[in-house]
Amino acid sequence: MRLRAPSPFPLVAGVALAIVLAFLAIPLVAVFVDVPPGDLLRALDDPSARDALRLSLETSLMALGLIIALGTPAAWLLATRRFRGRAVLLTLVELPLVVPPAVAGIALLAALGPQGLFGGALADLGIELVLQRAGVVVALTFVASPFYIRQAVAAFESVDRRLLEAARTLGAGEARTFLRVAVPLARPGLLAGAALAWGRALGEFGATLMFAGSFRGVTQTASLAIYERFATDFTAALALSAVLVAASAAILLMTKLAMVGSEELHGAQR
Amino acid sequence: MLSAEIRRAVRDVTLDVRLDARPGRPLVLVGPSGAGKTTLLRMIAGLLRPDAGRISCAGAVWFDDGSGIDLRPEQRRCALLHQDDTLFPHLRAWRNVAFGLHGRAPRERHARALDVLGQLGVERLADAYPRALSGGERRRVALARALAAEPPALLLDEPFTGLDDAAREDARAAVRAAVALAEVPVILVTHDLADARALDADVLALADGRLTSPEAA
């Protein structure tokens, strides 16, 4: 019996994989090792750095809350109804994914800014967004919501319709069917979407800068604080970056764990 | 009594059906797959709208195209048992059974769920998740879920398919028990005449969109 000649392809693919991993991981690792940990921690002692981190956390969580509260029922309708123009609506919901952040900032100004389409109406209601914390939340919500809604639509579409029908014939109206059957079964997808949206909101830069500005303690999120520091205090910029990398990794890890957990609990859905 | 008079175009045939189902004696509809049996049940359950006709149950009108009445499935509550038994995978067996007991006190729901599981001989499975159950056990839990909701009519869509011989015998016994417990009109759909014989039932055959007695079919 002759030995098979080793195929060169797995070797080539293996090299490609090694390059990809190195390219993706080395910059993130460098954030932590470029400067001694002591210096990183000292840089975080700066109150304005902590303000920026807290602001990032608060605004991104507020945006996430809004996205989930409004996006979940909206995604349910998009997933369960067939109507003319549905494809157009789905595209519209996904549009912010591909719009450049700077354009998103300009678009928000054109719509909600003081001179914008609805600026006057908002002013009459006493709502100011530009250069305000609420403006940060609006910008984050705008850029991050498609990540959640897209995933939520897919998650609801993958729920077995016969389970939803069974719930109805057992006396549950659409609201109860949604809350008790559809949401629990779509949960892994909803969690993944929420994590993606949160991660996107946490890292948002361009739209926030243009729409809400970069004022310490008011609208300067961690990403904006990094940008402000990198010319003058690279160590401080690195320290903030390290926190964001750790937070993003934690979000990703939590999502993976949550999804594994719920798969083990529910088993593969038939 | 459940009375239905239904017309609806389904693919290449037009269903034109009249049927009456009485409590105590199940009505079995037999017919080849694609004859429209499942479609018929779905229309009675309110999941699909007939083109025309009238459906009533226990004195209440569920559908009447003449007067525009069309109750939603949750208003008809007729516990359609699907052939794939559609147990909710994220709920334990007893919570599945308690699903149709919305509005009652939590303790009462638990007691009632265990009660009905016991009547079908599967009380021991109360805390199991559906994925841990065998095909026959799933059928019994699904029947318990349908019964517990005290539906005004029980609709069973191919409750014996997808089971091996032993489980099928077991499921037939369970359906006989369920029919005796339910005291409401029962309509059972199957492609196998042997299923009909296993129950003490009236049998009608669905072919070319019409119901006939099986001898004529």
Side-chain angles (χ1 to χ4, degrees):
Chain A
M1 195 174 77
R2 276 194 332 162
L3 284 173
R4 265 196 226 172
S7 154
F9 183 70
L11 195 69
V12 173
V15 171
L17 177 62
I19 294 172
V20 166
L21 289 178
F23 178 68
L24 293 181
I26 286 174
L28 295 180
V29 174
V31 165
F32 291 93
V33 297
D34 202 34
V35 171
D39 290 3
L40 283 185
L41 287 177
R42 245 191 311 286
L44 287 178
D45 246 357
D46 174 11
S48 75
R50 284 206 304 257
D51 277 353
L53 283 171
R54 189 184 318 118
L55 188 72
S56 265
L57 189 67
E58 284 173 4
T59 52
S60 65
L61 282 176
M62 278 189 245
L64 187 63
L66 277 177
I67 291 168
I68 291 175
L70 293 173
T72 313
W76 167 255
L77 272 194
L78 287 172
T80 55
R81 301 295 197 277
R82 293 291 173 269
F83 51 89
R84 282 170 68 103
R86 177 175 178 268
V88 176
L89 283 193
L90 283 171
T91 310
L92 207 63
V93 165
E94 293 183 5
L95 205 53
L97 283 178
V98 289
V99 166
V103 176
I106 292 288
L108 286 172
L109 280 172
L112 307 173
Q115 267 80 52
L117 281 178
F118 298 99
L122 286 175
D124 291 344
L125 293 168
I127 299 172
E128 269 188 83
L129 296 175
V130 173
L131 310 185
Q132 303 289 328
R133 209 165 79 133
V136 179
V137 176
V138 168
L140 300 188
T141 305
F142 183 80
V143 297
S145 55
F147 286 84
Y148 178 74
I149 295 176
R150 217 162 82 113
Q151 195 84 32
V153 170
F156 283 133
E157 277 176 345
S158 72
V159 171
D160 191 340
R161 298 190 73 80
R162 294 169 306 176
L163 294 177
L164 305 176
E165 292 183 350
R168 299 294 293 275
T169 68
L170 287 166
E174 188 171 2
R176 203 162 95 83
T177 302
F178 168 74
L179 288 173
R180 290 303 175 85
V181 182
V183 167
L185 291 176
R187 200 179 63 176
L190 298 180
L191 279 176
L196 283 174
W198 193 19
R200 177 69 182 86
L202 212 48
E204 215 297 308
F205 180 77
T208 316
L209 182 62
M210 302 196 71
F211 185 60
S214 177
F215 288 92
R216 281 188 188 178
V218 185
T219 68
Q220 191 179 79
T221 59
S223 300
L224 295 175
I226 290 170
Y227 182 68
E228 193 193 58
R229 279 162 178 70
F230 99 108
T232 54
D233 186 353
F234 194 70
T235 305
L238 267 180
L240 280 172
S241 303
V243 175
L244 282 193
V245 170
S248 307
I251 291 174
L252 196 59
L253 191 68
M254 278 188 322
T255 321
K256 300 262 174 192
L257 288 177
M259 290 183 71
V260 168
S262 76
E263 266 163 34
E264 276 174 4
L265 182 64
H266 303 324
Q269 210 190 86
R270 301 200 308 159
Chain B
M1 181 156 98
L2 188 155
S3 301
E5 205 186 311
I6 288 172
R7 276 181 302 286
R8 178 172 167 121
V10 186
R11 292 181 295 270
D12 45 351
V13 290
T14 301
L15 282 177
D16 188 353
V17 163
R18 282 192 74 125
L19 61 83
D20 291 312
R22 288 171 186 77
R25 193 166 166 84
L27 175 64
V28 175
L29 306 180
V30 294
S33 59
K37 305 186 299 291
T38 297
T39 307
L40 193 54
L41 283 194
R42 287 168 55 81
M43 286 191 286
I44 295 172
L47 296 168
L48 204 63
R49 199 188 147 92
D51 294 334
R54 187 185 149 89
I55 303 168
S56 66
C57 182
V61 179
W62 284 357
F63 177 82
D64 186 356
D65 67 301
S67 53
I69 296 173
D70 183 13
L71 295 194
R72 292 193 294 271
E74 64 266 28
Q75 294 170 312
R76 305 186 191 189
R77 287 199 317 111
C78 54
L80 174 65
L81 185 84
H82 195 274
Q83 54 176 308
D84 289 325
D85 53 48
T86 58
L87 291 175
F88 303 126
H90 59 300
L91 299 178
R92 295 177 192 278
W94 81 262
R95 285 204 176 273
N96 261 284
V97 177
F99 189 88
L101 301 174
H102 183 55
R104 301 199 197 178
R107 187 176 303 179
E108 197 188 323
R109 297 175 69 204
H110 186 236
R112 166 91 179 132
L114 290 186
D115 216 32
V116 182
L117 282 168
Q119 285 170 341
L120 287 168
V122 284
E123 192 177 350
R124 71 200 148 80
L125 304 175
D127 288 326
Y129 281 99
R131 71 189 143 76
L133 305 180
S134 72
E137 288 169 341
R138 292 176 63 99
R139 275 333 122 98
R140 281 183 179 257
V141 173
L143 277 169
R145 183 176 72 177
L147 284 180
E150 291 178 347
L154 196 54
L155 307 178
L156 310 175
D157 187 4
E158 302 272 7
F160 310 118
T161 30
L163 297 174
D164 60 36
D165 286 347
R168 169 182 293 249
E169 265 322 304
D170 182 66
R172 282 177 180 157
V175 166
R176 275 197 295 270
V179 167
L181 288 165
E183 296 172 338
V184 293
V186 177
I187 303 179
L188 186 150
V189 148
T190 176
H191 63 276
D192 186 354
L193 205 53
D195 292 333
R197 294 200 194 95
L199 297 165
D200 184 22
D202 293 327
V203 182
L204 289 174
L206 184 62
D208 301 324
R210 301 195 175 248
L211 283 173
T212 51
S213 66
E215 295 78 40

